[in-house]
Amino acid sequence: MNHPAPQSNSEELSNWAALSAMGALDDAEQQPVAKYSAEELAPEIAGFEDAVSAIPYSVPAIPMSPNLKDRLFQRIDATTLKASELYQLMSTPIDELIELSTQVEWQDLKGPGKFKHAVYQANTLHRELAFFVKSDQEGLFPKHHHAAGEEILVLAGDLVVDEQVYQRGDRIISAADTIHQPSTRNGCLLFCMASMDNQFVS
């Protein structure tokens, strides 16, 4: 809203002080007020700002709904706990995961090595994937960027990450917003939990 420029009379200046304290003036309107601030308006604006800041405390308190806590936890259960259900697959016994890997549909994984991957479960709400990766020979995985944290469980063979060799039963956790390119020396079978939004890096 456009307001007429302030005049030097005390009533007009008082009105502008109130508008300034409430944040009702845009940048252009604030400029003419500024020239009065150091002399006439500054004390009055400060008084109005104190009054404005006290307004919320004068509003009667609204009683909290007695079932608010229950409704809050129900909403949390409906969202975050769904993600943890997928991650609970990481606690599946290794031999059981190996057996599950024989029942999934494998596809070639693009990249420098001869790897295959197979999606086991997906959580589209949280953009998460549980999947298997395997290779029957030595090779270098495609370099990729982690959109979120990634967790890998070595089911068989070996996996080399940052020159450290991991074998059956080992877990590798990578932080979000990191890039890595693991390799295998003798082939491997892996169970992985990662984001759908991971991207290959050239």
Side-chain angles (χ1 to χ4, degrees):
M1 178 182 296
N2 293 324
H3 303 282
Q7 304 301 314
S8 59
N9 65 79
S10 59
E11 182 179 356
E12 187 69 16
L13 290 177
S14 181
N15 292 338
W16 276 79
L19 290 170
S20 178
M22 292 186 293
L25 302 179
D26 61 27
D27 291 342
E29 293 169 333
Q30 192 69 39
Q31 289 177 0
V33 175
K35 70 178 183 179
Y36 292 101
S37 295
E39 303 167 4
E40 300 157 81
L41 288 187
E44 195 155 7
I45 288 176
F48 279 123
E49 286 176 342
D50 289 341
V52 169
S53 64
I55 290 174
Y57 299 100
S58 65
V59 178
I62 300 175
M64 185 179 296
S65 170
N67 66 344
L68 176 61
K69 181 178 177 181
D70 290 338
R71 288 190 287 113
L72 176 61
F73 280 105
Q74 285 174 3
R75 179 169 295 184
I76 293 173
D77 288 343
T79 55
T80 57
L81 292 185
K82 289 184 178 179
S84 66
E85 289 174 3
L86 198 60
Y87 270 86
Q88 287 174 8
L89 293 170
M90 278 289 177
S91 301
T92 306
I94 288 179
D95 289 338
E96 187 175 331
L97 288 171
I98 292 174
E99 176 61 27
L100 288 172
S101 73
T102 66
Q103 303 170 16
V104 291
E105 184 177 344
W106 290 92
Q107 297 180 343
D108 290 334
L109 184 64
K110 295 179 181 179
K114 294 185 178 179
F115 293 93
K116 292 182 178 293
H117 75 288
V119 175
Y120 177 59
Q121 286 189 27
N123 185 321
T124 55
L125 177 64
H126 295 278
R127 306 290 297 164
E128 294 170 343
L129 283 176
F131 60 98
F132 295 96
V133 176
K134 71 176 180 180
S135 176
D136 297 327
Q137 61 188 42
E138 176 185 5
L140 190 65
F141 283 80
K143 183 185 292 186
H144 56 280
H145 173 266
H146 301 125
E150 177 185 75
E151 187 169 350
I152 299 172
L153 174 62
V154 181
L155 304 180
D158 65 84
L159 184 69
V160 183
V161 180
D162 297 330
E163 300 183 356
Q164 183 170 346
V165 180
Y166 298 90
Q167 297 177 322
R168 177 186 166 103
D170 289 335
R171 294 173 183 263
I172 304 96
I173 299 176
S174 299
D177 198 25
T178 57
I179 295 174
H180 76 182
Q181 187 173 26
S183 63
T184 179
R185 296 177 177 177
N186 304 291
C188 60
L189 176 62
L190 313 173
F191 184 62
C192 310
M193 202 72 59
S195 170
M196 293 181 179
D197 300 314
N198 283 0
Q199 293 183 342
F200 293 128
V201 179
S202 57

